[in-house]
Amino acid sequence: MSRALPQVRRRRGWRAAAIAAAALLAACVALVAVLNRWAEAPLPADDGPPPTAAAPQAVARGEYLARAGNCMACHTDVGGVPFAGGRGIETPFGTVYSTNLTPDAATGLGDWSAAAFWRALHHGRSRDGRLLYPAFPYPSYTHVTREDSDAIYAYLRSLPPVRQPARPHALEFPYGTQAALAVWRALFFRPGGLEPEPGRPAEWNRGRYLVQGLGHCAACHSPRNALGATQDAGALRGGLIPVQNWYAPALDTVHEAGVADWPAEEVVALLRDGATPRATVTGPMAEVVFRSTQYLDGADLRAMAAYLQALPGTSAAAAGRAPRPEPPRASMERGAAVYTQHCAQCHGDGGDGRPGAFPALAGNRAVLLDTPVNLVRTILQGGYAPVTPGNPRPHGMPPFTQVLGDEDVAAVATFVRNAWGNQAPGVATIDVYRARERRGR
């Protein structure tokens, strides 16, 4: 009798613990479900496309906004029809394929209503109720207004319909499940707009809307956690672009890509032309200028400049770096020899470049970033500015991936980061290997 009593008590304890665990699990499931429907209204009963075509003014406005959002870049496969989808977007969890945005009834947006399209942008939910993967940057597009969403929808409906079925995503388990996506959204996504800040000028508020909303700049210029969610997206403090492994430099820091100390007209010129006397865009940002920002009007470019210049960040004095140890002499000598043979003809013996043609390397912020990944990838893959009306014949840099081995690339990168008064950590051969393999640290 005395032995049986503790066993009964233990069984009762286990039963109570199991009941408590089940209750906690049910509560978590209910919370995830509630958070995934947060502030989301159901689609109207008569959900469907409009019976008549939109006004030409709405279509033109939507085309402009689609350019601002750079929609075509992801929703067009290489060699494919614009907006017909099918482009693979690599993520650390597998590949997500973009969808068909043309008005084809069977495979595109032909049967979608403006309300369903708005729900996809604002809530990240498809017309059929499925949750959308955040490779489609709805954490930023949730800030897009309903008016602008309707205009983009009108433009997409004006396109020729293209029959192109969606390709199934190729995501690792469990990331390809709706349950995992629901948990991710419950943790990291809340829908909501950007209310104008009354203490700020209208131009600043417009710039914030374009940068944080349609432009989805935080998708690249913010760090991400282990589950791929952006961290402190509003600060734009820089981050490694997943899988691509280009570093999108911080926009709030003057020693990376901050523009607080630039004349406003130069910020506008960089977004419009892709080049100014002090900077040239290459890598992923070149595509942004080529496909998107060069088409924005002057007022919107000035608004973006005003917002970017007002970002709270590191001052010029605080951004100064502490003295760095000098790199090994042998590495500098080897790098100097490689530079003389392959680089000096364009960038100059003193790293001063050639104005209007080849950028200076002495004092160049892109060269001096704490992470050398962009410099290494430029040496390997070349550097190409976008073609724009303001820079119709940009000079390009050839790739050296077939010319230089890892040791030479590391040496010349170390040299340019520490010559002519530059001072930055040296580059190791493992950094070059990672860049060749597109691997982050």
Side-chain angles (χ1 to χ4, degrees):
M1 182 73 173
S2 58
R3 294 180 180 177
L5 186 57
Q7 294 178 354
V8 171
R9 288 176 177 172
R10 281 197 295 270
R11 285 197 295 269
R12 287 176 179 173
W14 294 335
R15 188 179 301 115
I19 293 172
L24 179 61
L25 179 60
C28 290
V29 170
L31 180 62
V32 167
V34 168
L35 291 175
N36 272 276
R37 289 288 184 177
W38 189 265
E40 181 180 332
L43 294 178
D46 59 345
D47 181 58
T52 58
Q57 297 90 335
V59 172
R61 176 67 177 164
E63 181 178 14
Y64 176 84
L65 294 169
R67 289 275 196 187
N70 202 14
C71 306
M72 189 170 67
C74 287
H75 287 275
T76 305
D77 199 6
V78 177
V81 179
F83 295 102
R87 178 171 177 175
I89 301 167
E90 292 180 280
T91 78
F93 317 105
T95 302
V96 175
Y97 291 94
S98 61
T99 52
N100 185 350
L101 298 185
T102 73
D104 180 67
T107 64
L109 301 183
D111 288 336
W112 284 50
S113 65
F117 185 76
W118 156 253
R119 187 172 75 167
L121 262 64
H122 193 69
H123 292 284
R125 188 183 297 277
S126 183
R127 179 174 180 263
D128 61 8
R130 287 179 300 106
L131 302 177
L132 299 174
Y133 289 96
F136 169 59
Y138 59 82
S140 295
Y141 288 163
T142 189
H143 302 314
V144 173
T145 65
R146 176 63 191 265
E147 180 183 11
D148 283 354
S149 172
D150 288 352
I152 296 171
Y153 170 80
Y155 167 65
L156 294 174
R157 286 197 59 79
S158 74
L159 299 173
V162 177
R163 186 175 182 84
Q164 180 161 298
R167 296 180 62 180
H169 304 313
L171 293 165
E172 299 172 3
F173 182 83
Y175 307 111
T177 66
Q178 288 283 289
L181 183 53
V183 172
W184 186 95
R185 287 162 51 97
L187 291 171
F188 304 118
F189 173 64
R190 297 292 179 273
L194 286 175
E195 294 296 328
E197 290 193 15
R200 295 282 192 170
E203 184 178 60
W204 181 93
N205 277 300
R206 175 64 178 172
R208 180 176 68 141
Y209 174 72
L210 291 167
V211 169
Q212 299 289 359
L214 273 173
H216 59 285
C217 303
C220 291
H221 288 278
S222 293
R224 293 178 180 268
N225 63 23
L227 294 177
T230 55
Q231 298 175 294
D232 195 15
L236 301 172
R237 53 189 175 91
L240 192 69
I241 303 174
V243 181
Q244 291 188 40
N245 290 339
W246 285 90
Y247 176 70
L251 301 180
D252 68 337
T253 306
V254 294
H255 72 260
E256 291 202 4
V259 292
D261 57 346
W262 284 31
E265 58 269 21
E266 285 198 31
V267 184
V268 169
L270 189 67
L271 295 171
R272 182 192 62 222
D273 304 332
T276 72
R278 70 175 78 198
T280 301
V281 301
T282 58
M285 190 61 196
E287 183 177 10
V288 173
V289 172
F290 180 70
R291 295 186 180 276
S292 178
T293 57
Q294 70 163 312
Y295 297 100
L296 301 186
D297 61 36
D300 278 347
L301 289 173
R302 288 190 294 273
M304 293 177 70
Y307 177 74
L308 293 172
Q309 290 191 297
L311 285 173
T314 309
S315 67
R321 294 179 172 89
R324 311 269 193 181
E326 292 187 4
R329 181 177 178 181
S331 179
M332 289 293 288
E333 290 177 349
R334 181 172 185 168
V338 174
Y339 182 86
T340 299
Q341 182 178 357
H342 296 287
C343 314
Q345 183 177 359
C346 294
H347 293 288
D349 293 332
D352 49 2
R354 191 181 306 167
F358 307 112
L361 302 181
N364 189 315
R365 296 189 300 181
V367 171
L368 295 171
L369 289 171
D370 285 339
T371 172
V373 63
N374 292 358
L375 174 63
V376 172
R377 294 199 64 179
T378 300
I379 294 170
L380 293 174
Q381 297 174 287
Y384 307 95
V387 175
T388 61
N391 190 27
R393 297 181 183 86
H395 291 76
M397 173 179 161
F400 287 89
T401 188
Q402 301 294 335
V403 178
L404 301 177
D406 289 359
E407 294 81 4
D408 282 342
V409 173
V412 74
T414 297
F415 173 76
V416 300
R417 284 163 65 84
N418 290 278
W420 321 299
N422 288 349
Q423 193 175 63
V427 180
T429 54
I430 188 62
D431 297 319
V432 181
Y433 170 77
R434 288 189 178 116
R436 286 190 192 272
E437 299 295 318
R438 295 200 306 173
R439 295 179 183 177
R441 289 187 178 276

